[in-house]
Amino acid sequence: MTDKPSFPQLDVLRKMLLVAPFHRWLGLNIVAVTADALILEMPWRDEIVSNPMIGSAHGGILSALIDLTGLYAINALGGSARATADMRVDFHRPATTGPLRATGRVVKLGKHLSVAETRIEDQDGRLIASGRGAYVA
């Protein structure tokens, strides 16, 4: 008989996420945890717009969303992530509407370093940004 890994409950993860004021300001919500992914949503806020000509979100906000989704995916799916060691982000198209949905998947769970990748899509399912982070346990 194989023991199934024990994952944190969704309500526990949501409470962990909302401890930080920045996360609350962003309005983040973990909407689902599956066997292989964590899905996080962020509502649109006018304050995240950095290019008023096209109404697009600042890349730093999208990077933060990738970073946080990866970190919480690792924590939700059996690993331990406390801080970001390295991160790469690719911007595919401007984010001009919301909500934004980020899906994080674990690439590697390690004792000292874990890796996750994240995709951000707009409300129409179009890829906005993607990235990969390495996180220290």
Side-chain angles (χ1 to χ4, degrees):
M1 192 160 116
T2 332
D3 289 335
K4 289 186 178 179
S6 164
F7 302 135
Q9 299 285 337
L10 191 55
D11 58 334
V12 172
L13 288 168
R14 286 179 177 146
K15 286 178 185 175
M16 287 171 51
L17 177 68
L18 297 179
V19 165
F22 180 60
H23 305 171
R24 291 193 306 270
W25 180 83
L26 288 173
L28 301 179
N29 182 34
I30 299 170
V31 295
V33 177
T34 68
D36 69 342
L38 176 131
I39 303 168
L40 194 147
E41 280 189 350
M42 185 185 92
W44 189 261
R45 299 176 54 118
D46 288 338
E47 297 90 348
I48 69 170
V49 172
S50 68
N51 183 340
M53 298 296 285
I54 62 171
S56 63
H58 190 281
I61 295 294
L62 299 175
S63 296
L65 187 54
I66 286 171
D67 184 28
L68 292 168
T69 303
L71 185 139
Y72 279 89
I74 289 168
N75 286 330
L77 299 173
S80 174
R82 301 289 172 246
T84 308
D86 190 34
M87 188 173 75
R88 174 197 165 85
V89 176
D90 293 313
F91 301 102
H92 304 285
R93 73 177 61 230
T96 55
T97 60
L100 299 174
R101 177 172 276 224
T103 303
R105 290 185 178 7
V106 173
V107 174
K108 175 193 179 282
L109 291 178
K111 283 185 179 181
H112 304 289
L113 194 71
S114 293
V115 177
E117 53 191 23
T118 298
R119 295 171 51 94
I120 299 176
E121 296 176 349
D122 66 11
Q123 60 190 0
D124 296 322
R126 294 177 298 186
L127 181 63
I128 299 297
S130 61
R132 179 180 282 224
Y135 303 90
V136 177

